[in-house]
Amino acid sequence: MSNPSKAPRPEGAAPHLEVIPLGGMGEIGKNITAYRYEDEIMVVDAGLAFPESHQMGIDLIIPRIDYLQQNAGLIKGWILTHGHEDHIGGLPYILPRLPRVPVYGAGLTLGLVREKLSEFGIKDGEVDLREVDLSDKVKIGTHFQVEFFRMTHSIPDNAGYLLTTPAGVVMHTGDFKLDEEPSDGKTSDLARIEQAGKDGVTLLLSDSTNAERQGRTVSEAEVARNLETLIAGLKGRVFLTTFASNVHRVQNVINIAHRQRRRVVMEGRSMIKYAQVAQTLGYMELPEPFLASDEVGGLQDQQVLYVCTGSQGQPMSVLSRLAFGNHAKIALRRGDSVILSSNPIPGNEEAVNLVINRLYEIGVDVYYPPNYRVHASGHGSQEELATILNLARPKYFLPWHGEPRHQINHARLAQTLPRPPKRTLIARNGDVVRVSQDDFKVTGTVPAGAVYVDGLGVGDIGDDVLLDRVNMSQEGILIMTAVLHPTPHVEIVSRGFVRANRELDAQIRKVALDAIEQGLREKKRLEDVRDDMYGAVRRFVRKVTGRNPVLIPLIVD
């Protein structure tokens, strides 16, 4: 492993900037990027990711920040692009482990950050949050000047930025799509991007999420029209789920409900939290107050619309509890309609399909993509990505926010344009990307990767523990306890291995006891006797059953 230079730039050497992605490069989620110029570091975002199906028991995944901790004294400031979990969700875990520095973000972004930090008992005085407008310029340290600019996405106050350094200008789009009909009427600031391109952009980092999709991403306004047409034709109760952070979508649904003479009931902790913060800060308007679920008794079914959590099939979400009859106050019935205004995040397809199938079994009507156009991505497709590249005209290009297939397709797209970048790199988390006017290359790596959050534990679960969990789920567990006195004997307990089988249990005990007695006759150390028992039983079980349960051998002297 090589580290970025720690010494100031030698006299006469060309100034260079180091771009160090610690998360969000080669993946979708847990976004965090460090910029380093000489003895100063600026950090962008600090997100989280959600576990995949094989990561059993894990609640959240946050980025590894060893590099920032090792260079904590060099960090001069932090900027946040927007309020989605994959960009701010890691802050409560990360900020307390680093020095207090200014953290810049727009109004809604910081409102959501404050709410999140308060849940962890982190008080306002412990962090330095500074609100900016999406045209402001801020100075961070001596070497970094940041200019924010607006980009449309699925949440208000979404920002890209221009980072001016002695080594050149970096443009970072942040998450974006070029929605020409955004819900709040505030379109992306393409004029600023074009002007920056004319002035000279050394490096562009651009959102690669939809680099495989041709054309343009559907506008949020079209989704709203499709939802209204659908809801207008429904007679019973309507239950709609979407991402709680999709404030534009939720606002549109509230407006649609009002026009269709339905009262809105908010269900789900995260849905209520986002709505409260958005209302408080003026990003959400209510034609009528929300109702609680126990306040709808006097209304007819066609007068109610529930907005609830559960778009990703989460077991404890409102929609999942409704689907499986576990909700304390509400029960689905025939005549109800459920709208899934979202697509499953990769890895969540099975959970979402399970909920959909259960809804069908209950007898409710279910509407979801792609059969119904009730969702649109918040990320731009190829035409929009090409527009940014053409306007910015970067010298160098770093496709970001996507898996390798997205990054590579984005790079290929860039090469088809009239003015392709001089050079494009496909980077990974931990790469140290050196940028100067004459150079653009990976010069080393720093520690990067995933830290697992499991209950109250942060980082105490590793891949070895996850592998054990997977093995236990697939093969079961067999615990062997050898008691040596007064007479050696072996007890076994198994879970998830085989049905109760006295004959097999007796055979396993005999194999284990034979190994124990032989080891004692040979006067081996107890640790070696235990290992002999483990090996003998493993070989026997594999031969007789063809299975490999997790074996735990214990010896009581």
Side-chain angles (χ1 to χ4, degrees):
M1 180 183 72
S2 60
N3 289 313
S5 58
K6 296 185 178 181
R9 173 172 51 92
E11 187 175 352
H16 68 266
L17 173 72
E18 290 170 341
V19 184
I20 308 172
L22 299 174
M25 191 70 78
E27 63 179 351
I28 297 175
K30 63 182 179 65
N31 295 279
I32 180 170
T33 302
Y35 293 95
R36 179 167 180 170
Y37 185 86
E38 294 185 351
D39 59 350
E40 293 186 342
I41 291 175
M42 186 191 86
V43 189
V44 179
D45 290 339
L48 56 75
F50 295 100
E52 298 182 14
S53 58
H54 68 276
Q55 294 167 319
M56 297 179 177
I58 300 301
D59 299 318
L60 304 169
I61 304 171
I62 59 176
R64 186 177 169 187
I65 59 164
D66 302 52
Y67 174 75
L68 295 180
Q69 290 176 304
Q70 292 162 7
N71 296 279
L74 306 184
I75 301 173
K76 302 303 178 184
W78 214 295
I79 68 171
L80 305 175
T81 58
H82 65 288
H84 279 159
E85 290 289 326
D86 60 329
H87 291 260
I88 65 169
L91 287 170
Y93 303 96
I94 292 173
L95 287 183
R97 290 169 167 79
L98 295 170
R100 184 176 182 269
V101 297
V103 179
Y104 298 92
L108 179 60
T109 304
L110 293 190
L112 294 171
V113 169
R114 286 191 177 94
E115 179 73 19
K116 184 169 292 296
L117 294 178
S118 69
E119 293 177 5
F120 284 74
I122 301 173
K123 300 176 181 178
D124 277 356
E126 298 175 47
V127 292
D128 183 4
L129 302 181
R130 303 187 184 186
E131 185 174 335
V132 296
D133 291 327
L134 294 188
S135 58
D136 283 354
K137 296 179 181 179
V138 297
K139 188 79 171 177
I140 295 178
T142 305
H143 303 303
F144 302 114
Q145 178 174 286
V146 179
E147 179 184 352
F148 295 89
F149 57 85
R150 185 178 304 280
M151 295 294 279
T152 51
H153 189 37
S154 54
I155 189 171
D157 274 359
N158 182 69
Y161 60 89
L162 290 167
L163 174 62
T164 301
T165 75
V169 175
V170 177
M171 178 185 292
H172 191 313
T173 63
D175 292 13
F176 81 94
K177 69 177 183 180
L178 301 183
D179 196 334
E180 296 175 349
E181 296 181 273
S183 300
D184 58 6
K186 299 176 181 178
T187 56
S188 299
D189 193 351
L190 297 184
R192 185 66 190 95
I193 295 174
E194 183 177 23
Q195 184 58 53
K198 292 177 180 177
D199 294 339
V201 171
T202 308
L203 172 65
L204 171 68
L205 283 78
S206 184
D207 181 355
S208 305
T209 310
N210 282 343
E212 295 178 301
R213 295 188 185 180
Q214 296 180 353
R216 297 182 65 88
T217 298
V218 173
S219 169
E220 193 62 35
E222 183 174 339
V223 174
R225 290 190 286 268
N226 294 339
L227 282 170
E228 180 145 24
T229 300
L230 175 60
I231 292 169
L234 301 178
K235 303 301 182 185
R237 297 184 301 176
V238 173
F239 295 80
L240 184 144
T241 182
T242 190
F243 295 103
S245 60
N246 195 337
V247 175
H248 289 319
R249 181 82 47 82
V250 174
Q251 177 70 74
N252 285 338
V253 170
I254 291 169
N255 295 340
I256 291 167
H258 181 66
R259 290 194 292 268
Q260 298 301 319
R261 299 185 179 181
R262 290 180 181 265
R263 295 298 300 275
V264 174
V265 181
M266 280 279 177
E267 283 286 325
R269 182 171 170 272
S270 62
M271 191 67 72
I272 293 170
K273 179 187 73 174
Y274 269 88
Q276 287 175 338
V277 173
Q279 287 177 72
T280 301
L281 297 175
Y283 293 87
M284 184 178 288
E285 297 180 357
L286 304 185
E288 298 174 283
F290 294 136
L291 295 181
S293 57
D294 54 4
E295 295 177 328
V296 300
L299 298 177
Q300 298 179 355
D301 286 356
Q302 64 268 28
Q303 294 177 305
V304 182
L305 188 150
Y306 294 83
V307 180
C308 59
T309 57
S311 66
Q312 298 304 304
Q314 308 95 316
M316 296 306 296
S317 66
V318 172
L319 186 61
S320 289
R321 286 186 283 133
L322 288 171
F324 290 93
N326 298 325
H327 197 283
K329 297 182 179 180
I330 309 168
L332 291 176
R333 57 180 181 264
R334 290 184 181 275
D336 291 336
S337 297
V338 175
I339 302 172
L340 280 78
S341 185
S342 59
N343 278 330
I345 295 172
N348 290 350
E349 295 90 348
E350 184 177 345
V352 173
N353 289 336
L354 181 65
V355 170
I356 290 174
N357 282 318
R358 179 58 187 153
L359 292 170
Y360 272 108
E361 289 172 355
I362 293 173
V364 304
D365 296 317
V366 192
Y367 304 89
Y368 52 93
N371 300 335
Y372 296 86
R373 302 188 70 177
V374 292
H375 175 65
S377 171
H379 302 270
S381 299
Q382 289 180 358
E383 282 188 21
E384 293 146 282
L385 304 186
T387 296
I388 296 300
L389 282 158
N390 285 330
L391 291 176
R393 298 186 289 182
K395 187 173 187 178
Y396 306 125
F397 179 39
L398 197 60
W400 159 85
H401 201 289
E403 297 169 0
R405 62 194 179 105
H406 306 121
Q407 293 173 284
I408 292 169
N409 277 289
H410 202 174
R412 290 173 177 169
L413 173 67
Q415 292 307 307
T416 67
L417 301 178
R419 288 191 51 170
K422 181 178 179 181
R423 188 173 183 201
T424 297
L425 286 179
I426 304 299
R428 298 176 296 180
N429 290 333
D431 282 348
V432 178
V433 181
R434 178 171 293 192
V435 184
S436 70
Q437 289 301 322
D438 303 317
D439 203 11
F440 180 50
K441 63 184 178 182
V442 175
T443 59
T445 60
V446 302
V451 175
Y452 300 121
V453 178
D454 185 357
L456 297 177
V458 180
D460 57 348
I461 299 294
D463 290 332
D464 54 341
V465 175
L466 291 183
L467 182 59
D468 283 342
R469 291 180 178 181
V470 171
N471 288 340
M472 283 189 282
S473 73
Q474 294 175 341
E475 304 282 358
I477 183 172
L478 179 62
I479 303 172
M480 306 167 292
T481 305
V483 181
L484 302 186
H485 294 290
T487 302
H489 64 282
V490 177
E491 298 295 335
I492 65 171
V493 176
S494 68
R495 293 291 184 270
F497 172 41
V498 293
R499 290 182 179 179
N501 186 327
R502 292 183 178 179
E503 182 179 352
L504 179 60
D505 287 353
Q507 291 173 335
I508 293 173
R509 279 196 294 268
K510 183 178 186 306
V511 170
L513 187 57
D514 288 347
I516 291 289
E517 291 177 337
Q518 181 176 340
L520 293 177
R521 285 195 301 271
E522 296 175 1
K523 297 183 179 180
K524 291 184 176 182
R525 295 184 309 154
L526 289 184
E527 292 85 352
D528 295 332
V529 173
R530 180 198 62 200
D531 293 345
D532 289 347
M533 177 176 68
Y534 173 89
V537 171
R538 174 164 292 286
R539 289 189 296 271
F540 175 78
V541 167
R542 186 179 297 165
K543 178 180 178 181
V544 173
T545 68
R547 298 172 184 170
N548 294 289
V550 174
L551 298 182
I552 300 178
L554 303 171
I555 290 185
V556 180
D557 187 2

